[in-house]
Amino acid sequence: AQSVTQLDSQVPVFEEAPVELRCNYSSSVSVYLFWYVQYPNQGLQLLLKYLSGSTLVKGINGFEAEFNKSQTSFHLRKPSVHISDTAEYFCAGANFGNEKLTFGTGTRLTIIP
Amino acid sequence: DVKVTQSSRYLVKRTGEKVFLECVQDMDHENMFWYRQDPGLGLRLIYFSYDVKMKEKGDIPEGYSVSREKKERFSLILESASTNQTSMYLCASSFVKGTYEQYFGPGTRLTVT
């Protein structure tokens, strides 16, 4: 069965510093991977997704992620964060043929002015 | 733009009450989902529907039921609310055989007293 692990529950980062949010998945079949963002008191919004092709995926708001099959990772990165990036970030995965997503437990990103 | 709406943003109910949470999507999606979100646990799937009148249990269906009489509407029912069902409830929808991307509503924060 698919499982998704987010290694950090909270990540504090200074404004304009780079950030990496870590995500590992386990699967023996083809996998699709997603990063969602949840701003305070809102639903989830898709940041980016990996379905196939290039392993470097670019998303909205300057975020990108790299699919690494050998390390079963899909880490999210941004070179310079802003106060507006304060939110909770969820990694999710799905196996081909299964319509359901498996979510990680989330990483709360706090930007320090 | 896909829009997923939920009937209430905040709801307060008493123990033992029957509670209905409504979700409507306007993109003709076949799949609809109900999740609950709790701190440190991420999103957990309660129920999934892949067609009108079709449903499938998720990871935590106990204490919940669902109804899907029309394609655009998916209801979550708490037959007899309990305090441990105090949570954030998120509805989502997606296309069958699409990119597996789910679109989320804004959430309903339910408090059971």
Side-chain angles (χ1 to χ4, degrees), chain A residues 38-42 108, chain B residues 6 8-13 21 37-39 85-90 106-112:
Chain A
Q38 184 180 36
Y39 298 106
N41 298 314
Q42 294 187 27
R108 187 170 298 278
Chain B
Q6 296 183 227
S8 306
R9 292 299 306 274
Y10 300 93
L11 208 53
V12 180
K13 295 291 182 181
L21 304 182
Q37 180 183 8
D38 299 289
Q85 292 178 309
T86 291
S87 187
M88 170 71 92
Y89 290 88
L90 292 166
T108 296
R109 187 166 294 281
L110 172 68
T111 302
V112 182

Side-chain angles (χ1 to χ4, degrees), chain B residues 52-68:
Chain B
V52 174
K53 297 189 188 290
M54 308 302 285
K55 62 187 179 186
E56 188 175 306
K57 290 181 181 179
D59 301 317
I60 51 164
E62 297 79 18
Y64 304 94
S65 62
V66 290
S67 172
R68 192 164 179 203

Side-chain angles (χ1 to χ4, degrees), chain A residues 36 38 41 49 97 100, chain B residues 9 31 37 56 100-102:
Chain A
Y36 282 86
Q38 184 180 36
N41 298 314
K49 60 188 174 189
K100 294 177 279 188
Chain B
R9 292 299 306 274
N31 297 328
Q37 180 183 8
E56 188 175 306
Y100 296 35
E101 176 183 348
Q102 292 183 16

Side-chain angles (χ1 to χ4, degrees), chain B residues 8 14 18 23-24 27 32 37 40 44 46 54 69 72 74 76 82 86-87 91 96 102-103 108 110 113:
Chain B
S8 306
R14 293 196 180 276
K18 191 169 185 175
C23 175
V24 177
M27 276 300 291
M32 296 189 75
Q37 180 183 8
R44 293 179 291 167
I46 305 172
M54 308 302 285
E69 298 295 321
E72 67 271 17
F74 191 33
L76 180 70
S82 63
T86 291
S87 187
C91 175
V96 165
Q102 292 183 16
Y103 297 83
T108 296
L110 172 68
T113 61

Side-chain angles (χ1 to χ4, degrees), chain A residues 10-99:
Chain A
Q10 296 188 62
V11 173
V13 180
F14 285 102
E15 195 174 11
E16 298 184 7
V19 68
E20 178 180 84
L21 305 184
R22 297 180 293 168
C23 173
N24 286 91
Y25 68 93
S26 68
S27 177
S28 59
V29 296
S30 297
V31 62
Y32 303 134
L33 294 163
F34 304 82
W35 275 99
Y36 282 86
V37 60
Q38 184 180 36
Y39 298 106
N41 298 314
Q42 294 187 27
L44 274 68
Q45 176 184 353
L46 183 72
L47 268 180
L48 49 80
K49 60 188 174 189
Y50 172 79
L51 304 177
S52 64
S54 173
T55 57
L56 184 63
V57 181
K58 294 191 183 296
I60 62 171
N61 301 340
F63 284 94
E64 63 181 34
E66 186 160 14
F67 173 67
N68 188 319
K69 190 172 183 179
S70 63
Q71 296 188 8
T72 59
S73 68
F74 190 55
H75 300 333
L76 181 70
R77 301 185 182 102
K78 186 169 182 178
S80 175
V81 296
H82 303 284
I83 291 287
S84 58
D85 293 322
T86 296
E88 189 151 23
Y89 292 79
F90 291 94
C91 183
N95 288 334
F96 180 74
N98 186 342
E99 306 282 344

